[in-house]
Amino acid sequence: MIVLLPVLWPIAAGAAVLAYTGIGNSKKKASAGSPASGETAADRASGSDASGTGSGAVAGSAFGHSRITALDLIYMAALALETVLVIMAAAGGGSVRLFSLTDTLTLGLRVDGTGSLFAVLTSVMWLLTGIHSVAYMKHEEWAERFYGFYLIVVGVLVGLDYAADLVTLYVFYELMTLTSLPLVLHELTKEAVQAGMKYLFYSVGGAFLALFGIFYLANVCGDLSFTAGGRFTAEMAAGAPLLLTAVFCMIVGFGTKAGMFPLHGWLPIAHPVAPAPASAVLSGVITKAGVMALVRIIYFLVGPDVLRGTWVQAAWMVLTLLTVFMGSMLAYRENVFKKRLAYSTVSQVSYVLFGLSLMNPIGFTGALTHVVFHSAIKTCLFLFAGAVIVVTSWKKVDQLRGLGRVMPLALAAYTMASLALIGIPPFSGFVSKWYLATGSLASGTGALGFIGPVVLLISALLTAGYLLPIMIRGYFPGQDFDGKEIEERGLAKKEPSLLMLVPIVILAAATLLLGCFPGPLVAFVEKIAALVM
Amino acid sequence: MSPTLMLNLEEEVSMVLFGVGFTMLLLHRNLIKKIMGMNIMDTAVYLFLAAKGYIEGRGVPIMTDGVQDASAYINPVPSGLVLTGIVVSVSTTALMLALTIRLYERYHSLDLDRILISMKMEEEEQL
Amino acid sequence: MSFVQNFPFFSIIIAMFSGIVSSVLSGKKARAVSITAITVTTVLSACVLAFCLRTGQSYTYMMGHFPAPWGNEIRAGVLEGLTAVLFGVVMFLSVVGGLHYTEEDVEPSKQNLFYIMIDLMLSSLLALIYTNDLFTAYVFVEINTIAGCGLIMMSQTGRSLTAAIRYMVMSSLGSGLFLIGLSLLYDVTGQLLMSPAKEAVARIVADGSYQIPLLVIVAVVSVGLAIKSGLFPFHYWIPDTYGYATPTASAVLSGLVSKGYIFLLIKFFYRVIGTENAVHSHIINALFVFGVAGMMFGSLRAIMQTDTRKMIAYSSVAQIGYIYMGIGLGTQAGMIAAIFHIFSHGATKALLFISCVGLYKASGDRTDFLALRGSGYRNRLAGAGFLIGALSMVGFPMLAGFISKLLFATSAFASPHKMLITLIALAVSTVLNAIYFLRLLIGLYRPTKSGSFAEMEQAEQSGRGGTAGSGFAAPAANPWTMRIAIVCFIILNLILGLFSQPIVRAITDGLAMFG
Amino acid sequence: MYDRLLAVPVFLPIVAGVALLAMNGWIRKEKRERTMQWLVEALVLVNSLLVAWLIAGCGGRSGSLVLFRLYGQLTVMFRMDRMGSFFAGLVAFLWPLATLYAFEYMEHDERRPAFFAFYTISYGVTLGVALAGNLVTMYVFYEMLTFATFPLVMHPMTTEAARATRQYLYYSIGGAAFAFIGLVTVLAYSAIGTTGFVPGGMIDPAAAAEHRNLLLFVYVLAFFGFGVKAAVFPLHDWLPKAAVAPTPVTALLHAVAVVKSGAFAVLRFTYFSFGTEILRGTWAQWIVMAAALVTITYASTMAVKEVHFKRRLAYSTISNLSYILFGASMMSPLGLAAALIHLLAHAFMKISAFFCAGAVMHHTGKNYIYELDGMGYRMPVTFACFTISSLSLMGIPLFAGFISKWSLCEAALSLGSEMSGGAGGAVGQVLPYIGVAVILYSALMTGIYMLSVVVRAYFPGFVQQVKEAVAGGSARKAAAVGAEAGITAAGAGAAAVIGAAHGQNDVGIKKEGNQDPSWLMLLPLVIFAVAIVAVGIHAGPVLRFLALIGGEAG
């Protein structure tokens, strides 16, 4: 029964926040509501500048974090409780049957190794980003709506991770798309809504493509609950002519959320448009939901032995490598900072998918470890981007000259995270890339097995190409840089508020810590790999 | 073929006449000619019927000198039919002639097509 | 020889006699005489029908006890009795329905002439139904033609005169062919009475002589009667004649006259040639093809019309096509369907013509669609009459049209190779019927462009009292005679629709004893 | 005892409607419209209760009542078997709510008595189609339905309405004419002499064997004949044009009664008259299935293009109806059960969508999608229900739409595997899978054309729009209310209700912009939304009942 709590609690809390804010707002206004939010709203109404949050942000941050409202505290407490519940559920284990849609279709939750790994990762990332979002949301409108939906999405994600069978997973997958939509189009500008619609229709399209596979599997083997190592025996697979096509449809369908090649168009458009904490969560965690779905189908339903060596595996490897290379190439040439990070997400998540497509224990370990490391790193990078926007409202990469003078500590954290992402040894990225490369070589898929590591290395080089220049230009802006603009706006030595800085630093420290002592995490993942393969 | 052709001379003549009458009635535009065609057609039929009643070597079925035996006369039934037919043709012809007069008074022409055209023009004026 | 067996002869003579007598009477009295004549003949026919049903077989009535080659005969059976009754009812209602408007259209001096024509028409129809002798049939065909021409001419408009002359020309063509057919038959069989002629024909067919003359006889007679009843290729005189005569005349002409000739043709097939020989002679297939073509062509032309009277006339061409298709199927079931359609079309078409007159009067005597818009409200009863008539034509369940459509479809299955054509033709022509009838029906119940709907309403209510708001002078209320006629026609239609079972059984028995 | 009462629910509304027509003038003169409306609602309610009681009473044992003998052995007969009671129950449940909705919608219409008269008559006639015991009765009521509903389409009395009516009549009569051929063939070849409905079909096998191709050709003709009312592809054009009629008409007739009786007639004809043995695996089945699939793709693509709100919903109806026909064309018990569940689900989804469209049109006079910016705030409850019905239409789990899509695809795949043995020839092996692909494609299209309305309602294109939409009220509050009432989390039902309750009493919204219609319109909407979620979450019992019908007739 404990499994149900982490799923229901945030959804209920989110719904309560949304319902409460509706009423709360009018009351708050009556009781001399907090000047800041009232004032910023008025200021915005009068403010005429085009960039919307730009000038408003300057005035807001001046107050620092003295304006934490009661709602913010409840919000952070809810997130903390959620993390605790998830960890307890992971420890407690057990399973629960929610309700039965029809006699054959029943929704249920069950705790297992991969499920708890993803759930804990999600809740921790959610907590840190939540803390950051409290400060960030001071400069946005409709913060309460953001908090509400932010809580609901984490509940849905934990539900997805702990799903006992494919139908429950599909239910939570669809709900995740719908509930994360308000996060994407939070600012209600024209391009935000356009991007939101694109995000919605791509994800729904991918989901329906995957649904074809689900229908087919349901027809072939009736009960869709997950069992380690997959339920399909050789002769069952022989009996179903279209099984491989169905699995491929599911790979491409669920791959949409992970930004895999054919249906990745929405990611670089949707992420930058969302507010920074939302895009951090979108890139860092929600893409992992797509990965989770694929792990469940390949390793817990169809079984790797059935797919190993088939055209599906080969096609999948080609697609992932193509995305890895294309993502980093596009990121390299992108000038808008958040768009660059979005392209980097496209390529990094395909690292994970490439690991999964190898279908051997080493590759599997590399993939799961990269899931953990990438979500930590990418969340840190996006939070840093958020902090930069809040403090200096600079969006373009070439504006970021002399950032070292403005926020040296934050930039240091950024450097550690980007080094980890590139895969420099003491940092965590190196561990997962190591397992991925060795897994690919040992996967026995002939030429593709060798091309894999080559593409990974080229992409690592490109990652350095698009992340490090920001650090270099930040600390060493070069001779002709006069820093006039920083003085005028009094930005020198103005670190982002504490609430923003702490999560960034924690995440940067985590990348270093996991890099040095990956032992326990890798052992945990290898135990799952042994179970599954 | 030729011997029987010579034998039924009356039938052939009446058939030819019927064809003439029929086409006259159908194709001619002048109303009077149509009526004449109709009469030709009817007379052709009556010729045919009369010829059917004739038996070689027998007299007219009028009892003049007290002869009672049926074999002396030709078959009277077709003649009876011809009489009724003539009455019918006369009445139809009378009616069509009356109609033609009425049309002539109104449209001053005997040509059926011209009558139709003038009738349509007359109707447009009324609307 | 019970007394009832004289009734067929009596009814013909009464109708003839009343026609002769009313030539000296004034309009009003002539009308009374004619209406009584119609009622009496219908009652007599009903007695004959009852008698035949009771005895269960038909009987022949030799005029003056003269035997076969010379004498003249009348044959009455269940089918003849039923047809006579229904024709009588339709004629009675048409005359009563159109009473008021006949007075308006025809000059006072010529009123009695109109009723003479009606009586002659009645007697010739009854004769065509009952006669068993071919030459008598020819004589009454001619009387029918002359009476019909008289009825057409009665309204003295330019168009009706030209229609009359064209009608006379075509009819005399038809009767000429019929006459030559009779003479050839007399030549070949030596008989003019139908029953002996049948044995003679059977003997001839048995020993295989005279094949070609027989074929010619059947062809000539069929074409002759087809011309007279307005089958497809010879139908161009129908729109003017049916459309522009007085309401009674057009109802009688379209409803009964063409049906009389078809009934004679059926009698000719059954009683003289014998159905198997007729089918064998492939003339039946020709009739079938012309019938189907007529259905399609009639409906298509009707769609193109903008004048209501012409539209309804063209729809008669289509319905006659239905009947000939039924006969053309060549099976017993096909014949039953054809005969039932004779009755149902007769009743429905007469209803349509009579109720249309009410609509014309409510739209300032104009007959095109635009004028009729909204007339359904201005003249409620006429609108309802037209509604029932149109629905029956389209084959709406519970009405006569549906049953005849059902009979045609079930009969189609009896003749395999014609089945598909019949079914498709039925479906397509129902759609075509729907198109032009319902288009008008919608027009009837739409408010005129000029006034909004509310204004239309007062116009209709105030119409009773003073001048109407919406452009058309509100009509004087429907004459009570017309109201009764429309209501009776609707009831007749419903009877044919709902209680068709006894009628169909009567037709089947009639056909069995018809041969 | 129940048998004798079978005819009452059919003829009570018809008689009442005719009486109402007769009193038309009197009612309008004495301004008695109000009382007349409540009288009509009471009558409809009584009739529905009677139907419910009969369904409960008859239960499995299907009593029958012969009304009168039309011709020969063709009798007008009512019978309450499971399938009949299912459709009758659905119609009886929806009609009172639709009448309630029609009260407010037709408030200031000048010809209300005539409208409600024909509205009630078509209720009786639809029940006639549902309870028909044999093919002739169903055909008779099927044809009378056209004539009962065409005055309703004509109601606005504009030239456009007249043109739409004319087209509606021609298509329906044409369809009925071709269906008539089917009726007659069944009569000619029936094993039991009459056209009574026999689960599993009643054409006698001997005749079927020798006239095989003819029977198949006639089946295809009859399918398109009955299919006209179910808006199959080539003959669908009348439905979007009929959107010109007032909303209660388009909602009830063109989303539920008329089109559903078309689909129901096809199901009855296929499974209870013609029988599936003759048709399974034959070229006729593939033609019919292909027609359904073409309609689904065509209509859902057209719906995306359509800008007029109600015409878009009309196109969506066309594509969803062909889901039912696709289920019917599977000729298997699973196919029939799937078709019936979609019939039920679509009825609820579409009628609530149309009612929302009607509410928007009635209160704000907006007909086109691009005018709907920010409507989510003005009419929170209406758009909450609209969101639920569009999510369900898309096939999002936890809603009824998902269940019906699931069972349809399940049936298609089982047919596919069954046909893989080559029984149905090459086409037979491929078509079911294409079918599943088409259903998913059209689900995506439904997502696009429905959610674009929802997103436009709650997240209008630019910020100013929101301000002006709420006319000065604080943007923050209105948006929060709207958003939370709109796209809701897993507890969709709960949030919607909170939103609804909340939307009502929040003083801030009330005076400025809330144009939610009165409870008369909202009650049906909320009931439908709750029904959709209920069936979505727990469809077990409904599916078991339908599987019974499927198994019996399959």
Side-chain angles (χ1 to χ4, degrees), chain D residues 19-40:
Chain D
L20 208 60
L21 261 181
M23 300 193 300
N24 190 345
W26 176 76
I27 291 173
R28 248 210 320 297
K29 238 192 248 80
E30 263 73 17
K31 292 284 166 291
R32 280 262 191 316
E33 271 89 353
R34 261 276 162 253
T35 44
M36 175 274 290
Q37 273 176 343
W38 288 112
L39 211 66
V40 163

PDB file of all heavy atoms in Angstrom, chain D residues 19-40:
ATOM      1  N   ALA D  19     -50.407  15.623 -31.290  1.00  0.00           N
ATOM      2  CA  ALA D  19     -51.381  16.467 -30.566  1.00  0.00           C
ATOM      3  C   ALA D  19     -50.810  17.870 -30.421  1.00  0.00           C
ATOM      4  O   ALA D  19     -51.489  18.875 -30.691  1.00  0.00           O
ATOM      5  CB  ALA D  19     -51.642  15.852 -29.183  1.00  0.00           C
ATOM      6  N   LEU D  20     -49.559  17.932 -30.084  1.00  0.00           N
ATOM      7  CA  LEU D  20     -48.920  19.250 -29.896  1.00  0.00           C
ATOM      8  C   LEU D  20     -48.998  20.042 -31.196  1.00  0.00           C
ATOM      9  O   LEU D  20     -49.325  21.233 -31.206  1.00  0.00           O
ATOM     10  CB  LEU D  20     -47.452  19.005 -29.503  1.00  0.00           C
ATOM     11  CG  LEU D  20     -46.790  20.099 -28.633  1.00  0.00           C
ATOM     12  CD1 LEU D  20     -47.538  20.268 -27.328  1.00  0.00           C
ATOM     13  CD2 LEU D  20     -45.345  19.745 -28.375  1.00  0.00           C
ATOM     14  N   LEU D  21     -48.740  19.323 -32.314  1.00  0.00           N
ATOM     15  CA  LEU D  21     -48.793  20.019 -33.616  1.00  0.00           C
ATOM     16  C   LEU D  21     -50.184  20.616 -33.824  1.00  0.00           C
ATOM     17  O   LEU D  21     -50.337  21.771 -34.240  1.00  0.00           O
ATOM     18  CB  LEU D  21     -48.501  19.002 -34.734  1.00  0.00           C
ATOM     19  CG  LEU D  21     -47.063  18.981 -35.277  1.00  0.00           C
ATOM     20  CD1 LEU D  21     -46.936  17.952 -36.391  1.00  0.00           C
ATOM     21  CD2 LEU D  21     -46.690  20.369 -35.796  1.00  0.00           C
ATOM     22  N   ALA D  22     -51.177  19.796 -33.468  1.00  0.00           N
ATOM     23  CA  ALA D  22     -52.552  20.271 -33.696  1.00  0.00           C
ATOM     24  C   ALA D  22     -52.805  21.520 -32.861  1.00  0.00           C
ATOM     25  O   ALA D  22     -53.380  22.510 -33.340  1.00  0.00           O
ATOM     26  CB  ALA D  22     -53.534  19.159 -33.303  1.00  0.00           C
ATOM     27  N   MET D  23     -52.295  21.521 -31.607  1.00  0.00           N
ATOM     28  CA  MET D  23     -52.608  22.674 -30.724  1.00  0.00           C
ATOM     29  C   MET D  23     -51.645  23.833 -30.970  1.00  0.00           C
ATOM     30  O   MET D  23     -51.618  24.801 -30.215  1.00  0.00           O
ATOM     31  CB  MET D  23     -52.480  22.239 -29.260  1.00  0.00           C
ATOM     32  CG  MET D  23     -53.421  21.105 -28.879  1.00  0.00           C
ATOM     33  SD  MET D  23     -53.444  20.966 -27.099  1.00  0.00           S
ATOM     34  CE  MET D  23     -51.684  20.626 -26.816  1.00  0.00           C
ATOM     35  N   ASN D  24     -50.814  23.709 -32.015  1.00  0.00           N
ATOM     36  CA  ASN D  24     -49.763  24.694 -32.253  1.00  0.00           C
ATOM     37  C   ASN D  24     -50.299  26.131 -32.162  1.00  0.00           C
ATOM     38  O   ASN D  24     -49.856  26.948 -31.355  1.00  0.00           O
ATOM     39  CB  ASN D  24     -49.216  24.428 -33.682  1.00  0.00           C
ATOM     40  CG  ASN D  24     -47.960  25.224 -33.931  1.00  0.00           C
ATOM     41  OD1 ASN D  24     -47.661  26.157 -33.188  1.00  0.00           O
ATOM     42  ND2 ASN D  24     -47.225  24.852 -34.959  1.00  0.00           N
ATOM     43  N   GLY D  25     -51.308  26.419 -32.940  1.00  0.00           N
ATOM     44  CA  GLY D  25     -51.825  27.799 -32.990  1.00  0.00           C
ATOM     45  C   GLY D  25     -52.288  28.226 -31.610  1.00  0.00           C
ATOM     46  O   GLY D  25     -51.915  29.280 -31.094  1.00  0.00           O
ATOM     47  N   TRP D  26     -53.043  27.330 -30.935  1.00  0.00           N
ATOM     48  CA  TRP D  26     -53.649  27.710 -29.655  1.00  0.00           C
ATOM     49  C   TRP D  26     -52.554  28.060 -28.643  1.00  0.00           C
ATOM     50  O   TRP D  26     -52.596  29.071 -27.957  1.00  0.00           O
ATOM     51  CB  TRP D  26     -54.477  26.524 -29.141  1.00  0.00           C
ATOM     52  CG  TRP D  26     -55.051  26.774 -27.798  1.00  0.00           C
ATOM     53  CD1 TRP D  26     -56.123  27.560 -27.503  1.00  0.00           C
ATOM     54  CD2 TRP D  26     -54.559  26.267 -26.550  1.00  0.00           C
ATOM     55  NE1 TRP D  26     -56.329  27.580 -26.146  1.00  0.00           N
ATOM     56  CE2 TRP D  26     -55.384  26.781 -25.536  1.00  0.00           C
ATOM     57  CE3 TRP D  26     -53.491  25.424 -26.196  1.00  0.00           C
ATOM     58  CZ2 TRP D  26     -55.180  26.491 -24.185  1.00  0.00           C
ATOM     59  CZ3 TRP D  26     -53.295  25.152 -24.857  1.00  0.00           C
ATOM     60  CH2 TRP D  26     -54.151  25.676 -23.860  1.00  0.00           C
ATOM     61  N   ILE D  27     -51.516  27.199 -28.605  1.00  0.00           N
ATOM     62  CA  ILE D  27     -50.460  27.427 -27.601  1.00  0.00           C
ATOM     63  C   ILE D  27     -49.863  28.809 -27.833  1.00  0.00           C
ATOM     64  O   ILE D  27     -49.679  29.610 -26.924  1.00  0.00           O
ATOM     65  CB  ILE D  27     -49.378  26.329 -27.710  1.00  0.00           C
ATOM     66  CG1 ILE D  27     -49.942  24.987 -27.242  1.00  0.00           C
ATOM     67  CG2 ILE D  27     -48.140  26.688 -26.901  1.00  0.00           C
ATOM     68  CD1 ILE D  27     -49.011  23.814 -27.474  1.00  0.00           C
ATOM     69  N   ARG D  28     -49.587  29.133 -29.103  1.00  0.00           N
ATOM     70  CA  ARG D  28     -48.879  30.412 -29.338  1.00  0.00           C
ATOM     71  C   ARG D  28     -49.814  31.579 -29.041  1.00  0.00           C
ATOM     72  O   ARG D  28     -49.420  32.609 -28.528  1.00  0.00           O
ATOM     73  CB  ARG D  28     -48.389  30.474 -30.797  1.00  0.00           C
ATOM     74  CG  ARG D  28     -46.854  30.420 -30.858  1.00  0.00           C
ATOM     75  CD  ARG D  28     -46.266  31.121 -32.007  1.00  0.00           C
ATOM     76  NE  ARG D  28     -47.019  30.925 -33.263  1.00  0.00           N
ATOM     77  CZ  ARG D  28     -47.171  29.735 -33.850  1.00  0.00           C
ATOM     78  NH1 ARG D  28     -46.669  28.663 -33.286  1.00  0.00           N
ATOM     79  NH2 ARG D  28     -47.836  29.637 -34.982  1.00  0.00           N
ATOM     80  N   LYS D  29     -51.103  31.358 -29.296  1.00  0.00           N
ATOM     81  CA  LYS D  29     -52.015  32.506 -29.052  1.00  0.00           C
ATOM     82  C   LYS D  29     -52.047  32.793 -27.551  1.00  0.00           C
ATOM     83  O   LYS D  29     -51.890  33.928 -27.114  1.00  0.00           O
ATOM     84  CB  LYS D  29     -53.430  32.144 -29.566  1.00  0.00           C
ATOM     85  CG  LYS D  29     -53.918  33.170 -30.629  1.00  0.00           C
ATOM     86  CD  LYS D  29     -55.401  32.991 -30.918  1.00  0.00           C
ATOM     87  CE  LYS D  29     -55.573  32.463 -32.390  1.00  0.00           C
ATOM     88  NZ  LYS D  29     -55.340  31.032 -32.529  1.00  0.00           N
ATOM     89  N   GLU D  30     -52.211  31.751 -26.730  1.00  0.00           N
ATOM     90  CA  GLU D  30     -52.378  31.999 -25.293  1.00  0.00           C
ATOM     91  C   GLU D  30     -51.015  32.103 -24.597  1.00  0.00           C
ATOM     92  O   GLU D  30     -50.955  32.130 -23.391  1.00  0.00           O
ATOM     93  CB  GLU D  30     -53.166  30.854 -24.640  1.00  0.00           C
ATOM     94  CG  GLU D  30     -54.676  31.152 -24.471  1.00  0.00           C
ATOM     95  CD  GLU D  30     -55.348  31.081 -25.820  1.00  0.00           C
ATOM     96  OE1 GLU D  30     -54.711  30.499 -26.738  1.00  0.00           O
ATOM     97  OE2 GLU D  30     -56.459  31.610 -26.006  1.00  0.00           O
ATOM     98  N   LYS D  31     -49.913  32.163 -25.359  1.00  0.00           N
ATOM     99  CA  LYS D  31     -48.581  32.316 -24.715  1.00  0.00           C
ATOM    100  C   LYS D  31     -48.404  31.248 -23.640  1.00  0.00           C
ATOM    101  O   LYS D  31     -47.985  31.529 -22.508  1.00  0.00           O
ATOM    102  CB  LYS D  31     -48.472  33.717 -24.075  1.00  0.00           C
ATOM    103  CG  LYS D  31     -48.446  34.838 -25.124  1.00  0.00           C
ATOM    104  CD  LYS D  31     -47.087  34.935 -25.806  1.00  0.00           C
ATOM    105  CE  LYS D  31     -47.095  35.785 -27.072  1.00  0.00           C
ATOM    106  NZ  LYS D  31     -47.877  35.117 -28.170  1.00  0.00           N
ATOM    107  N   ARG D  32     -48.744  30.017 -23.958  1.00  0.00           N
ATOM    108  CA  ARG D  32     -48.644  28.938 -22.948  1.00  0.00           C
ATOM    109  C   ARG D  32     -47.347  28.154 -23.157  1.00  0.00           C
ATOM    110  O   ARG D  32     -47.249  27.010 -22.750  1.00  0.00           O
ATOM    111  CB  ARG D  32     -49.791  27.939 -23.144  1.00  0.00           C
ATOM    112  CG  ARG D  32     -51.163  28.320 -22.581  1.00  0.00           C
ATOM    113  CD  ARG D  32     -51.403  27.667 -21.226  1.00  0.00           C
ATOM    114  NE  ARG D  32     -52.771  27.749 -20.717  1.00  0.00           N
ATOM    115  CZ  ARG D  32     -53.520  28.839 -20.748  1.00  0.00           C
ATOM    116  NH1 ARG D  32     -53.072  29.905 -21.349  1.00  0.00           N
ATOM    117  NH2 ARG D  32     -54.735  28.851 -20.227  1.00  0.00           N
ATOM    118  N   GLU D  33     -46.336  28.785 -23.805  1.00  0.00           N
ATOM    119  CA  GLU D  33     -45.143  27.983 -24.131  1.00  0.00           C
ATOM    120  C   GLU D  33     -44.539  27.331 -22.880  1.00  0.00           C
ATOM    121  O   GLU D  33     -44.192  26.155 -22.870  1.00  0.00           O
ATOM    122  CB  GLU D  33     -44.055  28.865 -24.785  1.00  0.00           C
ATOM    123  CG  GLU D  33     -44.171  28.948 -26.290  1.00  0.00           C
ATOM    124  CD  GLU D  33     -45.067  30.097 -26.726  1.00  0.00           C
ATOM    125  OE1 GLU D  33     -45.672  30.717 -25.824  1.00  0.00           O
ATOM    126  OE2 GLU D  33     -45.176  30.370 -27.931  1.00  0.00           O
ATOM    127  N   ARG D  34     -44.451  28.102 -21.782  1.00  0.00           N
ATOM    128  CA  ARG D  34     -43.759  27.571 -20.581  1.00  0.00           C
ATOM    129  C   ARG D  34     -44.391  26.261 -20.142  1.00  0.00           C
ATOM    130  O   ARG D  34     -43.734  25.228 -20.068  1.00  0.00           O
ATOM    131  CB  ARG D  34     -43.916  28.602 -19.437  1.00  0.00           C
ATOM    132  CG  ARG D  34     -42.698  29.509 -19.241  1.00  0.00           C
ATOM    133  CD  ARG D  34     -41.617  28.899 -18.384  1.00  0.00           C
ATOM    134  NE  ARG D  34     -40.304  29.534 -18.509  1.00  0.00           N
ATOM    135  CZ  ARG D  34     -39.306  28.916 -19.156  1.00  0.00           C
ATOM    136  NH1 ARG D  34     -39.510  27.789 -19.787  1.00  0.00           N
ATOM    137  NH2 ARG D  34     -38.118  29.450 -19.210  1.00  0.00           N
ATOM    138  N   THR D  35     -45.718  26.304 -19.917  1.00  0.00           N
ATOM    139  CA  THR D  35     -46.353  25.068 -19.412  1.00  0.00           C
ATOM    140  C   THR D  35     -46.169  23.948 -20.435  1.00  0.00           C
ATOM    141  O   THR D  35     -45.858  22.812 -20.094  1.00  0.00           O
ATOM    142  CB  THR D  35     -47.872  25.320 -19.243  1.00  0.00           C
ATOM    143  OG1 THR D  35     -48.294  26.023 -20.431  1.00  0.00           O
ATOM    144  CG2 THR D  35     -48.155  26.138 -18.013  1.00  0.00           C
ATOM    145  N   MET D  36     -46.274  24.280 -21.702  1.00  0.00           N
ATOM    146  CA  MET D  36     -46.141  23.228 -22.736  1.00  0.00           C
ATOM    147  C   MET D  36     -44.777  22.565 -22.596  1.00  0.00           C
ATOM    148  O   MET D  36     -44.645  21.348 -22.638  1.00  0.00           O
ATOM    149  CB  MET D  36     -46.289  23.876 -24.119  1.00  0.00           C
ATOM    150  CG  MET D  36     -46.072  22.960 -25.306  1.00  0.00           C
ATOM    151  SD  MET D  36     -44.370  22.797 -25.821  1.00  0.00           S
ATOM    152  CE  MET D  36     -44.079  24.435 -26.493  1.00  0.00           C
ATOM    153  N   GLN D  37     -43.753  23.396 -22.354  1.00  0.00           N
ATOM    154  CA  GLN D  37     -42.385  22.817 -22.281  1.00  0.00           C
ATOM    155  C   GLN D  37     -42.322  21.822 -21.152  1.00  0.00           C
ATOM    156  O   GLN D  37     -41.856  20.687 -21.326  1.00  0.00           O
ATOM    157  CB  GLN D  37     -41.378  23.934 -22.060  1.00  0.00           C
ATOM    158  CG  GLN D  37     -40.912  24.546 -23.359  1.00  0.00           C
ATOM    159  CD  GLN D  37     -39.992  25.723 -23.099  1.00  0.00           C
ATOM    160  OE1 GLN D  37     -39.953  26.267 -22.000  1.00  0.00           O
ATOM    161  NE2 GLN D  37     -39.269  26.111 -24.114  1.00  0.00           N
ATOM    162  N   TRP D  38     -42.828  22.238 -19.963  1.00  0.00           N
ATOM    163  CA  TRP D  38     -42.679  21.315 -18.826  1.00  0.00           C
ATOM    164  C   TRP D  38     -43.519  20.080 -19.060  1.00  0.00           C
ATOM    165  O   TRP D  38     -43.154  18.957 -18.693  1.00  0.00           O
ATOM    166  CB  TRP D  38     -43.043  22.017 -17.519  1.00  0.00           C
ATOM    167  CG  TRP D  38     -41.963  22.991 -17.171  1.00  0.00           C
ATOM    168  CD1 TRP D  38     -42.028  24.337 -17.166  1.00  0.00           C
ATOM    169  CD2 TRP D  38     -40.599  22.653 -16.860  1.00  0.00           C
ATOM    170  NE1 TRP D  38     -40.798  24.871 -16.864  1.00  0.00           N
ATOM    171  CE2 TRP D  38     -39.904  23.855 -16.665  1.00  0.00           C
ATOM    172  CE3 TRP D  38     -39.901  21.448 -16.730  1.00  0.00           C
ATOM    173  CZ2 TRP D  38     -38.535  23.905 -16.361  1.00  0.00           C
ATOM    174  CZ3 TRP D  38     -38.549  21.491 -16.417  1.00  0.00           C
ATOM    175  CH2 TRP D  38     -37.879  22.719 -16.231  1.00  0.00           C
ATOM    176  N   LEU D  39     -44.630  20.249 -19.738  1.00  0.00           N
ATOM    177  CA  LEU D  39     -45.462  19.077 -20.059  1.00  0.00           C
ATOM    178  C   LEU D  39     -44.660  18.109 -20.933  1.00  0.00           C
ATOM    179  O   LEU D  39     -44.584  16.903 -20.681  1.00  0.00           O
ATOM    180  CB  LEU D  39     -46.697  19.571 -20.838  1.00  0.00           C
ATOM    181  CG  LEU D  39     -47.983  18.747 -20.636  1.00  0.00           C
ATOM    182  CD1 LEU D  39     -48.443  18.895 -19.174  1.00  0.00           C
ATOM    183  CD2 LEU D  39     -49.072  19.250 -21.592  1.00  0.00           C
ATOM    184  N   VAL D  40     -43.999  18.674 -21.933  1.00  0.00           N
ATOM    185  CA  VAL D  40     -43.220  17.818 -22.848  1.00  0.00           C
ATOM    186  C   VAL D  40     -42.127  17.090 -22.071  1.00  0.00           C
ATOM    187  O   VAL D  40     -41.945  15.869 -22.183  1.00  0.00           O
ATOM    188  CB  VAL D  40     -42.604  18.690 -23.972  1.00  0.00           C
ATOM    189  CG1 VAL D  40     -41.489  17.959 -24.681  1.00  0.00           C
ATOM    190  CG2 VAL D  40     -43.685  19.131 -24.925  1.00  0.00           C
TER     191      VAL D  40
END
